[in-house]
Amino acid sequence: FASSTISFNLPPGIAMSKATRAVESAFARLGVPSNVRGSFQGTAKLFQGSVNTMPLLIGAAIVAMYLVLGILYESTLHPITILLSTIPSAGVGALLALLALRFDFTLIALIGVFLLLGLVKKNAIMMIDVALELERTQGLDSRAAILEACLRRFRPIMMTTVAALAGALPLAFGHGDGAELRQPLGIAIVGGLALSQLLTLFTTPVVYLYLDRLRLWVLSRRRGRRDAPVLEPA
């Protein structure tokens, strides 16, 4: 087939996503015959491939974390507590920080989100680990156990979060060669850590209690069905 390559550059402040949308819109308005096709090559093609695979990568990361946490706690419920109470706040914090500083959600920013998910999970892991141990060894109910776990783990949680924030600040605000590549990574980590630190201290105990109540309700329903009398036909 006869082919022609048209190259373009990005002006300052214009994202690749906006440029590809503009090219696709212009191509659609041309009304070319059905035997004429267009596709991106080079950096634009790589960008489209990364955008298409981002949801799959995030989903695969969440599934992998769930499996690892399920093996750790030998439970199908507590990994949901950890993921549900940490991932939303971390993701929202990273996106808000990138939007506030006018950075695009690039592949490097996605890598920052992956790093962020591993960092923020430790808040919930620290609390739930202690709460489960207190329930098993001291016979505390879920409310008393998670309250005691929050008190015991507050200082380690704050120390590790401040250390991670301090480590990410040079990436977010550093200048020099390659700084434009490192800044989205650091900004995603800093923004996600800041927001998730404020929220997970409150959301993790709440999610833990509600899911524990759900577990007890399901167990009571199962016992009720098992203990129900069987009626014999006359």
Side-chain angles (χ1 to χ4, degrees), residues 25-100:
S25 176
F27 187 77
R29 290 196 305 269
L30 287 176
V32 296
S34 59
N35 60 347
V36 176
R37 294 174 296 174
S39 62
F40 289 103
Q41 298 294 325
T43 305
K45 184 178 181 180
L46 291 175
F47 169 78
Q48 282 192 325
S50 65
V51 169
N52 293 332
T53 56
M54 273 185 188
L56 296 176
L57 290 173
I58 295 174
I62 292 174
V63 170
M65 288 187 290
Y66 177 84
L67 293 175
V68 172
L69 292 171
I71 294 170
L72 175 65
Y73 291 112
E74 297 180 354
S75 169
T76 58
L77 186 65
H78 293 303
I80 298 177
T81 306
I82 295 172
L83 298 177
L84 193 62
S85 63
T86 58
I87 288 180
S89 60
V92 170
L95 292 177
L96 289 178
L98 290 170
L99 285 173

Side-chain angles (χ1 to χ4, degrees), residues 5-224:
T5 301
I6 302 174
S7 301
F8 64 91
N9 293 322
L10 295 178
I14 300 299
M16 178 64 75
S17 58
K18 185 180 293 185
T20 54
R21 285 197 301 268
V23 172
E24 290 171 346
S25 176
F27 187 77
R29 290 196 305 269
L30 287 176
V32 296
S34 59
N35 60 347
V36 176
R37 294 174 296 174
S39 62
F40 289 103
Q41 298 294 325
T43 305
K45 184 178 181 180
L46 291 175
F47 169 78
Q48 282 192 325
S50 65
V51 169
N52 293 332
T53 56
M54 273 185 188
L56 296 176
L57 290 173
I58 295 174
I62 292 174
V63 170
M65 288 187 290
Y66 177 84
L67 293 175
V68 172
L69 292 171
I71 294 170
L72 175 65
Y73 291 112
E74 297 180 354
S75 169
T76 58
L77 186 65
H78 293 303
I80 298 177
T81 306
I82 295 172
L83 298 177
L84 193 62
S85 63
T86 58
I87 288 180
S89 60
V92 170
L95 292 177
L96 289 178
L98 290 170
L99 285 173
L101 297 176
R102 297 184 179 181
F103 277 87
D104 299 324
F105 189 74
T106 61
L107 189 61
I108 301 300
L110 178 64
I111 295 173
V113 171
F114 285 153
L115 292 173
L116 179 64
L117 296 182
L119 291 171
V120 299
K121 278 194 312 174
K122 53 87 184 170
N123 292 0
I125 289 174
M126 285 182 178
M127 287 186 276
I128 291 175
D129 217 19
V130 175
L132 291 176
E133 185 67 22
L134 291 173
E135 287 186 32
R136 292 166 182 168
T137 58
Q138 299 185 20
L140 299 179
D141 63 348
S142 57
R143 183 182 179 87
I146 193 64
L147 178 60
E148 181 65 23
C150 291
L151 295 175
R152 290 189 184 185
R153 289 303 185 184
F154 178 75
R155 187 174 62 129
I157 287 173
M158 296 302 296
M159 290 171 61
T160 51
T161 301
V162 171
L165 276 171
L169 285 176
L171 292 173
F173 301 107
H175 296 281
D177 294 336
E180 67 281 356
L181 188 68
R182 299 188 298 268
Q183 283 178 343
L185 179 70
I187 290 170
I189 294 175
V190 170
L193 278 176
L195 184 62
S196 66
Q197 181 61 59
L198 295 174
L199 295 181
T200 53
L201 294 174
F202 302 98
T203 57
T204 299
V206 172
V207 174
Y208 178 83
L209 289 175
Y210 273 105
L211 289 182
D212 191 69
R213 291 175 186 173
L214 176 63
R215 177 183 64 85
L216 295 175
W217 179 78
V218 171
L219 289 177
S220 65
R221 291 291 298 270
R222 288 179 180 175
R223 291 196 192 100

